[in-house]
Structure formats: C-alpha cells, structure tokens
C-alpha cells in the first residue's frame, strides 16, 4: 500500500526535462528516445462533405489545406522529429512553437505567431491514477493541427459530432472546432475531480474511526493529486482569459461567447479544487486532533489507575517492611487480631473513595469526537 502511494506521488511530481542540450540554437527539435512514433489522422469537412482517414506522408495533407472547408490534422506521438519538421514547414509554424511541442512540460498558454495561434492545454485521464499529457493546438484560418504525446485522448465526442454533423460544428470555421476541443478537454476534468471528491467524502466518514497510518498516507496521496490538478487547470484559466477580452482575428465574436462558457467551467473546477484542498487540510487536522484526543483519554485512564494504586502501594509497602514485630516499638498493630482484614477494608475504602471523587468531577467520562452538539440548530 505504501509503495503504491509513493509511486503515485512520484508520478505526480512535476519534472521539467528539456531534451535539447544546453547551448542549442532556439527552435531545435529533439525528442525522447522512447517517444511514440507519430500517426497522422486527417479530418476534412464542409457543411455537406466529410472525410476522415489516416495518412502516412505529410505531403498528402497539402491538397486539403489549399481547398475549401476545414482541415483537422491530429498527430499522436512525437517519436519522429523529421516528420514534425515537415508538419511545421507545411503549416507555416514557428520553430519556437515546435520546440515547445516536443518539450512536454509546458503549462497551458496562448501565443500568437502572425496568422497562427499556438495553444497548449493539459489533457488528463484516469480514475485510479491521473495520466497527464500535453496537447498542442495550432489554429489557422481554415485548419487546426493538434499534436499529442501518445495515442488515446478524450476527443471522441468531438469526432462523433463531426461524423454525424450534430449541432453547428460543420457549418462554422476552425475556430469553433478549436473551442470544441478545448471544451472536451475541460469536460474530461470533471469526472476526475468528482472522483477525488467522493474519496474525500469516504475519508471524512472514516476520519474519526480510522487511527492507522494508512489513513494519512491515503489523504496525502489525494492531496498530491489535487495539487497536480490545480497546476493543470489554473494556467488554463489564464489562457482562456487571454483569448476572450482582446479580439483575436482567428476567433470570431460568436465563438468567444462559447469560450466564456468554457471559462465558467474552469472557474467551477477551480472552486471545487479549492474546496477539496480545504477538506484535505481539515481532515488532516481533525485526524491529528482525534489521535491526540485518543492519546489523552488513554493517558487519563492510566493516570486514574496510577492515582488509585498510589495510596494502596504506600500501605502495602509500609506493612511489607521487614521489621521484627516482637521487638518493642516495631509496628504493634501487626499483632492486632484481624489486622489483615482491616487493612484490606481500608484499602478498598480508599479506592472506592477515589473513584467516587473522580466520578463526581466527571473525570471518568470518555468523550467521543464523532458526537457533535445536540442542539446546534436551535437558536
């Protein structure tokens, strides 16, 4: 259990590792040796036409860019720097932006390069563990290029809308498609955040009952995941702010209205994350307080037992001294008839008296942190 949580926390630790050697010229494209080989998916559509296929050569995309309609090219994998450079040349992308594509530690951001818009978002997936992936988006007048680290994404609902021509997605431009992709990424955050909230509710119920170290380890793991989620979502809020107030030629005014709705979803996620982080802190404080309270109750019981036995130990120690009772002045009460019974009765009376004293002062009552005020709702 401990090793699994440590592995999860290690995977959530942000690591910034640039693959280009120090001193390299700006715009150098260097990928990891174990990166996935890229596959290129092409979707070209107009209001009355739709085409979807996989291409093997970058040159096959050129006729679609020169024709009418919107072209969406999705690249999954970064393992072929030569093919990435060909994509950059074909779409007219800045080399600095392509360098950011292969260095996948980028935070969510928006950058303008002439008539191209470069957008980075963090794409998350998973429930038992969180898979954090960089999604790079290039928006042009009639095209959209998305580049992912590896196969698999949360964009199938967008593809399905395009295939079946649901809504207005095929009757508008590439800017609306860009919004739809960002919105799908944001919507995929909600199940992940909600699942962490459900775990926190379970931990909240077990906080007063669970006193093992696994509780704190589990709580610490959830807190680390919430921090990672916040690192992914907070920059996206700033990026959407960058898109909305200042008019950008590539985003029409009507599309910006939809971006406001996406921005509202991000704010909701931020509020949820802040609430769950506060819950983590409160649960941690409550759990530590309950442990301290339990320890105080144990110490109180031990102290009461020790206090009761102190006078009894004094009496037994006094009469257990090894003096000769036949010599004058040496404990004459040892020869009194029924002295043993009298001493036992005195010891029982002392113990009973002490217990009565503790009970009258309420020191024998064990408090329970799980019980709240009975009349807290009455004013």
């Amino acid at each position: 259990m401990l090793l699994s949580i440590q592995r999860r926390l290690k995977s959530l630790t942000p690591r910034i590792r640039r693959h280009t050697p120090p001193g390299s010229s700006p715009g150098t494209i260097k990928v990891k040796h174990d990166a996935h080989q890229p596959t290129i998916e092409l979707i070209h559509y107009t209001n009355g036409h739709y085409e979807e296929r996989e291409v093997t050569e970058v040159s096959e995309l050129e006729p679609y860019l020169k024709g009418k309609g919107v072209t969406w090219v999705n690249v999954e994998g970064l393992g072929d720097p030569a093919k990435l450079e060909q994509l950059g040349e074909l779409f007219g992308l800045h080399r600095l932006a392509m360098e950011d594509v292969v260095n996948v530690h980028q935070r969510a951001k928006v950058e303008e390069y002439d008539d191209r818009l470069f957008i980075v978002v963090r794409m998350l997936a998973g429930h038992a563990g969180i898979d954090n992936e960089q999604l790079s988006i290039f928006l042009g007048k009639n095209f959209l290029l998305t580049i992912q680290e590896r196969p698999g994404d949360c964009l199938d609902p967008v593809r399905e809308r395009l295939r079946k021509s649901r809504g207005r997605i095929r009757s508008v431009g590439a800017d609306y498609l860009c919004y739809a992709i960002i919105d799908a990424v944001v919507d995929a955050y909600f199940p992940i955040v909600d699942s962490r909230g459900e775990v926190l509710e379970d931990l909240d119920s077990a906080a007063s009952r669970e006193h093992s170290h696994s509780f704190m380890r589990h709580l610490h793991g959830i807190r680390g995941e919430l921090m990672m989620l916040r690192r992914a979502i907070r920059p996206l809020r700033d990026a959407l702010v960058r898109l909305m107030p200042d008019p950008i030629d590539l985003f029409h005014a009507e599309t910006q209205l939809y971006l406001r709705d996406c921005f509202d979803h991000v704010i909701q996620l931020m509020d949820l994350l802040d609430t769950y982080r506060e819950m983590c802190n409160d649960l941690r404080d409550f759990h530590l307080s309950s442990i301290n309270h339990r320890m105080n109750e144990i110490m109180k019981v031990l102290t009461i037992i020790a206090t009761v036995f102190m006078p009894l130990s004094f009496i037994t120690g006094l009469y257990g001294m090894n003096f000769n009772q036949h010599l004058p002045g040496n404990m004459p009460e040892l020869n009194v008839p029924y002295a043993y019974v009298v001493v036992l009765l005195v010891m029982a009376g002392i113990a009973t008296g002490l217990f009565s004293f503790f009970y009258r002062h309420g020191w024998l009552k064990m408090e329970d942190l799980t019980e709240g005020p009975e009349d807290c709702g009455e004013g």
Side-chain angles (χ1 to χ4, degrees), residues 108-274:
K109 62 179 181 178
V110 176
E111 294 180 354
E112 291 186 71
Y113 293 96
D114 297 330
D115 58 345
R116 303 287 190 269
L117 201 62
F118 177 45
I119 304 173
V120 174
V121 296
R122 306 303 304 185
M123 188 164 53
L124 306 180
H127 292 279
I130 299 179
D131 182 20
N132 189 351
E133 179 182 356
Q134 176 175 313
L135 175 63
S136 304
I137 304 173
F138 292 93
L139 173 63
K141 185 177 180 180
N142 63 339
F143 73 85
L144 190 74
L145 172 64
T146 56
I147 304 178
Q148 309 174 28
E149 296 181 41
R150 48 189 171 270
D153 54 39
C154 58
L155 305 181
D156 286 338
V158 179
R159 296 185 180 95
E160 193 66 19
R161 287 163 58 190
L162 287 171
R163 294 186 187 110
K164 299 184 178 180
S165 189
R166 292 176 180 172
R168 58 195 304 270
I169 190 169
R170 279 172 52 175
S171 60
V172 288
D175 59 331
Y176 188 87
L177 175 61
C178 182
Y179 148 75
I181 290 175
I182 297 175
D183 186 62
V185 171
V186 173
D187 287 345
Y189 291 164
F190 279 96
I192 300 175
V193 175
D194 291 341
S195 65
R196 271 59 191 175
E198 293 174 358
V199 173
L200 284 176
E201 291 178 358
D202 295 337
L203 290 177
D204 189 17
S205 302
S208 58
R209 304 189 306 268
E210 183 68 44
H211 300 286
S212 63
H213 295 291
S214 62
F215 178 89
M216 289 298 293
R217 290 196 296 266
H218 199 180
L219 182 62
H220 187 62
I222 294 297
R223 188 171 183 272
E225 291 180 343
L226 292 176
M227 291 178 62
M228 191 278 292
L229 288 169
R230 194 173 188 275
R231 284 195 299 267
I233 295 174
R234 185 177 60 84
L236 181 57
R237 177 193 61 183
D238 300 335
L240 290 175
V241 169
R242 171 71 180 84
L243 288 175
M244 289 188 301
D246 298 329
I248 297 178
D249 294 337
L250 293 174
F251 270 98
H252 297 88
E254 188 175 357
T255 305
Q256 289 185 343
L257 295 177
Y258 290 94
L259 285 174
R260 293 179 188 176
D261 180 68
C262 188
F263 176 78
D264 182 64
H265 293 168
V266 174
I267 295 300
Q268 293 177 22
L269 289 168
M270 290 294 297
D271 291 340
L272 284 174
L273 289 177
D274 291 340

